[in-house]
């Protein structure tokens, strides 16, 4: 939870606006400025601004990335809008559309059209800051938790660097002295299956090794960890929206995006090794049966068969010897 808390501070910034600067406007100013506070991996990144406010112009500058929206001398019309698009730390995207209204009691993401364009610009700035603050406290906080989980489950784990954390611009690798490692097992560049092999046939071996840091396993653990690290208060008006934003991200992540290893992929590889092992076991059983039959034919003859064969051999030898003896005593006298 500490890594998540540190990352949240770095992503929200000192003003809770997702590291965006939205300065209040001095009198008679018609330009609303939104800028990233630094070049860093933290907070909102402005992906673009699209305006259909009557008479307005949009200018981009940076780095750090910044957008000026100048209302000029013409007030927008009722219903005109401007959209700010943002990229969040987990790679997701969000947008805020601010709509002009003649109402003096504007609703969420609305701003009141003033008597002059500079008053309108000031109203837009205030409403935009409020909308960005809410988005930061909901979607950005959820995205920050997802990014923090990815940071922590890296190898080595990454921590926000610098102080104060609210103005950090980079990371530092965690060490055993300041960071608990979630995985302390063997980490090699070779395939995980190859960490354990067995010879199951004279020419066949199976690989069945597994590492807990494999992407398929780590992916599940880190996303569940992101969910577990977040806390919600019933008194927090943004808690429900923040929880929904996190749930949506975790659900999408656990569905496993294309190109990411799944636990099922690991299971399939282990199942393949199991099938090979089962096939080898069947062959070994058949071979054992065949050898047992051969051995039985050699060693399994009965005593009666042995005696009978010995008697037959004895009779044959005796007849042969008698014949040989008779031939030995044969002479011409005996023949006549």
């Amino acid at each position: 939870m500490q890594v998540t808390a540190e990352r949240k501070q770095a992503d929200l910034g000192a003003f809770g606006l997702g590291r965006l600067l939205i300065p209040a406007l001095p009198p008679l100013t018609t330009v609303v400025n939104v800028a990233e506070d630094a070049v860093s991996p933290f907070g909102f990144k402005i992906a673009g601004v699209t305006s259909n406010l009557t008479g307005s112009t949009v200018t981009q500058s940076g780095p750090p990335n910044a957008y000026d929206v100048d209302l000029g001398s013409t007030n927008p019309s009722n219903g005109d809008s401007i959209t700010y698009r943002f990229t969040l730390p987990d790679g997701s995207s969000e947008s805020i559309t601010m709509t002009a209204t003649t109402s003096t009691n504007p609703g969420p993401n609305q701003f009141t059209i003033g008597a002059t364009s500079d008053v309108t610009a000031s109203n837009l700035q205030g409403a935009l800051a409020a909308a960005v603050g809410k988005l930061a406290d909901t979607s950005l906080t959820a995205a920050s938790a997802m990014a923090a989980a990815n940071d922590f489950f890296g190898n080595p784990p990454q921590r926000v660097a610098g102080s104060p954390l609210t103005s950090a611009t980079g990371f530092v690798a965690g060490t055993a002295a300041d960071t608990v490692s979630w995985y302390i097992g063997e980490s090699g560049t070779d395939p995980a299956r190859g960490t354990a092999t067995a010879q199951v046939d004279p020419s066949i071996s199976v690989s069945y090794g597994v590492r807990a840091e494999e992407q398929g396993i780590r992916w599940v653990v880190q996303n569940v960890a992101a969910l577990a690290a977040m806390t919600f208060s019933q008194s927090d008006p943004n808690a429900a929206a923040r929880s929904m934003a996190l749930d949506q991200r975790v659900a999408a992540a656990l569905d496993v995006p294309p190109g990411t290893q799944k636990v099922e992929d690991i299971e399939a590889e282990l199942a393949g090794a199991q099938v090979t092992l089962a096939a080898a076991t069947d062959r070994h059983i058949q071979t054992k049966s065949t050898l047992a039959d051969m051995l039985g034919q050699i060693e399994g003859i009965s005593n009666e068969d042995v005696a009978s064969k010995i008697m037959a051999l004895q009779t044959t030898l005796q007849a042969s010897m008698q014949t040989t003896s008779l031939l030995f005593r044969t002479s011409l006298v005996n023949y006549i």
Side-chain angles (χ1 to χ4, degrees):
M1 294 182 65
Q2 182 178 349
V3 173
T4 302
E6 292 174 356
R7 177 76 198 231
K8 180 181 177 181
Q9 292 183 62
D11 283 321
L12 290 184
F15 306 106
L17 297 179
R19 303 290 294 269
L20 295 181
L21 302 176
I22 310 177
L25 274 62
L28 305 179
T29 300
T30 61
V31 179
V32 178
N33 175 262
V34 179
E36 299 168 12
D37 70 348
V39 177
S40 78
F42 305 115
F44 288 122
K45 300 305 168 191
I46 310 172
V49 178
T50 303
S51 174
N52 68 356
L53 301 177
T54 302
S56 68
T57 58
V58 178
T59 305
Q60 188 268 341
S61 61
N65 203 14
Y67 281 83
D68 287 335
V69 178
D70 189 353
L71 300 188
S73 59
T74 306
N75 255 331
S77 301
N78 185 53
D80 285 358
S81 64
I82 181 171
T83 299
Y84 293 82
R85 300 186 304 278
F86 304 104
T87 301
L88 280 61
D90 65 343
S92 62
S93 299
E94 297 282 353
S95 63
I96 294 176
T97 298
M98 306 300 299
T99 304
T101 179
T102 56
S103 173
T104 57
N105 186 26
N109 292 8
Q110 291 183 331
F111 63 97
T112 301
I113 301 172
T116 58
S117 59
D118 61 309
V119 176
T120 302
S122 181
N123 292 340
L124 171 60
Q125 182 276 335
L128 178 61
V132 168
K134 182 173 182 179
L135 188 64
D137 196 32
T138 54
S139 294
L140 177 61
T141 301
S144 177
M146 299 294 286
N150 190 64
D151 297 340
F152 176 72
F153 285 89
N155 186 15
Q158 298 296 301
R159 302 287 293 270
V160 178
S163 180
L165 296 173
T166 53
S167 59
T169 58
F171 295 98
V172 63
T175 66
D178 59 22
T179 306
V180 175
S181 295
W182 79 278
Y183 177 74
I184 56 175
E186 178 266 343
S187 296
T189 57
D190 58 316
R193 287 325 139 256
T195 59
T197 60
Q199 193 78 26
V200 297
D201 237 9
S203 59
I204 299 177
S205 63
V206 295
S207 300
Y208 58 94
V210 177
R211 292 190 182 105
E213 68 167 357
E214 288 187 69
Q215 186 181 42
I217 299 174
R218 178 177 58 82
W219 187 260
V220 174
V221 174
Q222 80 174 48
N223 284 289
V224 172
L227 191 63
M230 290 281 284
T231 58
F232 305 92
S233 171
Q234 292 183 348
S235 62
D236 184 351
N238 291 327
R242 188 185 313 117
S243 176
M244 181 178 296
L246 181 61
D247 290 346
Q248 290 173 345
R249 284 168 167 78
V250 171
L254 291 180
D255 194 35
V256 187
T260 301
Q261 184 192 48
K262 302 179 182 179
V263 172
E264 290 85 349
D265 297 333
I266 298 174
E267 291 176 341
E269 293 177 1
L270 294 177
Q274 188 176 24
V275 169
T276 301
L277 179 60
T281 300
D282 291 340
R283 289 195 301 274
H284 292 167
I285 292 173
Q286 295 173 3
T287 302
K288 181 179 179 180
S289 177
T290 301
L291 294 176
D293 288 343
M294 292 176 60
L295 185 61
Q297 292 177 10
I298 296 171
E299 297 179 345
I301 190 168
S302 66
N303 292 334
E304 290 78 6
D305 288 341
V306 173
S308 174
K309 291 182 180 297
I310 292 176
M311 289 293 294
L313 179 60
Q314 184 178 8
T315 301
T316 301
L317 288 174
Q318 186 175 8
S320 177
M321 292 176 65
Q322 287 178 348
T323 301
T324 301
S325 176
L326 290 173
L327 290 174
F328 182 76
R329 294 197 302 269
T330 299
S331 67
L332 184 58
V333 175
N334 291 336
Y335 179 75
I336 294 174

